[in-house]
């Protein structure tokens, strides 16, 4: 069974640039959720994707967007980067069930630094 | 609305002594509750989960947690700490499985850093 993988592991960008982060879900999972973890804080929910559509969103502006592909992998895109976007971005995969979502399993994360 | 409060930002124990990490939750629904662990520069690993079955939940590496509805608590314990337990621990709440909203919305506490002294 393959776990959740993310790429790249580290990334350095400058303010105003755009970034794309990638996530491959665990085998057998069909749902991907993204979280932002600022230094010293708990992760915060950005959004979730199921059946290639956004299936819930946290309190993040529209410049945070995503995609899910037919193989259930996912991308997180952030436009017009700001210094406060510097964080660890975590992807989690799970299996969607009608009355809720099964346990989420996390990848190792991508560390984004915005200068 | 759901929320979770981890009562200690930092806990320090000696190796071989018990561990207690405290968590209180607030939920309008029957919640699902989790504990995740994060080692330095690593992702999150699931320790255990409560989903309205047995109130005493056993997890990996000797950890367990007890769901107490009357106290709205879900404290994490381990009888004997090991050096490898040193990490950040997160208590997490999410609406129960009968909630038809945003199922992805795990709500994390701010974390408790566990230090283990030799």
């Amino acid at each position: 069974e393959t776990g959740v993988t993310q790429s790249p592991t580290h990334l350095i960008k400058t303010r105003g640039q755009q970034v794309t982060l990638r996530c491959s879900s665990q085998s057998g999972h069909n749902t991907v959720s993204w979280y932002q973890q600022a230094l010293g804080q708990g992760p915060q929910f950005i959004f979730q994707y199921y059946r290639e559509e956004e299936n819930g969103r946290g309190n993040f502006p529209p410049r945070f967007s995503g995609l899910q592909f037919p193989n259930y992998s996912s991308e997180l895109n952030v436009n017009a980067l700001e210094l406060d976007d510097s964080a660890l971005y975590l992807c989690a995969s799970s299996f969607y069930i009608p009355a809720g979502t099964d346990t989420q399993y996390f990848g190792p994360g991508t560390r984004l630094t915005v200068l | 609305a759901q929320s979770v409060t981890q009562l200690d930002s930092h806990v320090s124990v000696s190796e071989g002594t018990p561990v207690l990490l405290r968590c209180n939750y607030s939920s309008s629904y029957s919640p699902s509750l989790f504990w995740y662990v994060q080692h330095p520069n690593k992702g999150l690993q699931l320790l255990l989960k409560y989903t309205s079955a047995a109130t005493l939940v056993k997890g990996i590496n000797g950890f367990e947690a007890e769901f107490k509805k009357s106290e709205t608590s879900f404290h994490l314990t381990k009888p004997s700490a090991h050096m490898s337990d040193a990490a950040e621990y997160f208590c997490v709440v999410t609406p129960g499985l009968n909630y038809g909203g945003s199922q992805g919305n795990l709500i994390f506490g701010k974390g408790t850093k566990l230090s283990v002294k030799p």
Side-chain angles (χ1 to χ4, degrees), chain A residues 19-70:
Chain A
V19 69
T20 298
L21 311 182
R22 294 179 176 83
C23 171
S24 291
S25 60
Q26 184 169 309
S27 176
H29 288 174
N30 57 12
T31 303
V32 173
S33 303
W34 286 92
Y35 294 81
Q36 180 195 66
Q37 186 178 16
L39 201 61
Q41 301 294 318
Q44 287 194 300
F45 174 67
I46 303 174
F47 44 54
Q48 181 185 73
Y49 275 82
Y50 169 64
R51 287 186 174 177
E52 303 178 44
E53 291 188 356
E54 190 177 286
N55 182 48
R57 189 180 183 93
N59 189 27
F60 280 81
R63 59 190 186 83
F64 285 78
S65 63
L67 286 172
Q68 186 182 30
F69 300 99

Side-chain angles (χ1 to χ4, degrees), chain B residues 28-49:
Chain B
S28 304
Y29 303 88
S30 296
S32 292
L33 291 158
F34 306 80
W35 277 97
Y36 282 86
V37 61
Q38 186 174 39
H39 291 274
N41 300 314
K42 300 283 188 183
L44 292 156
Q45 180 184 20
L46 178 68
L47 276 179
L48 50 81
K49 65 178 179 180

Side-chain angles (χ1 to χ4, degrees), chain B residues 13-24:
Chain B
V13 301
S14 297
E15 191 174 23
T17 63
V19 175
L20 170 63
L21 305 184
R22 298 182 295 164
C23 172
N24 286 348

Side-chain angles (χ1 to χ4, degrees), chain A residues 33 35 37 40-43 45 48 55-57 88 90 96-109 111, chain B residues 34 36 38 41-46 49 51 88 90 96-111:
Chain A
S33 303
Y35 294 81
Q37 186 178 16
Q41 301 294 318
F45 174 67
Q48 181 185 73
N55 182 48
R57 189 180 183 93
L88 181 67
L90 295 162
Y96 184 91
I97 54 178
T101 305
D102 203 355
T103 302
Q104 297 186 22
Y105 294 89
F106 286 80
R111 173 74 62 185
Chain B
F34 306 80
Y36 282 86
Q38 186 174 39
N41 300 314
K42 300 283 188 183
L44 292 156
Q45 180 184 20
L46 178 68
K49 65 178 179 180
T51 54
E88 187 96 24
F90 292 96
L97 293 181
N98 293 322
Y99 176 59
S102 172
Q103 292 87 358
N105 191 10
L106 295 184
I107 299 167
F108 285 76
K110 293 188 175 181

Side-chain angles (χ1 to χ4, degrees), chain B residues 76-91:
Chain B
L76 181 71
T77 60
K78 182 174 180 176
S80 176
H82 191 272
M83 295 296 291
S84 61
D85 295 328
E88 187 96 24
Y89 290 79
F90 292 96
C91 182

Side-chain angles (χ1 to χ4, degrees), chain A residues 77-92:
Chain A
N77 299 290
V78 187
N79 293 321
L81 283 166
E82 301 177 0
L83 296 179
D84 285 349
D85 295 333
S86 294
L88 181 67
Y89 288 84
L90 295 162
C91 164

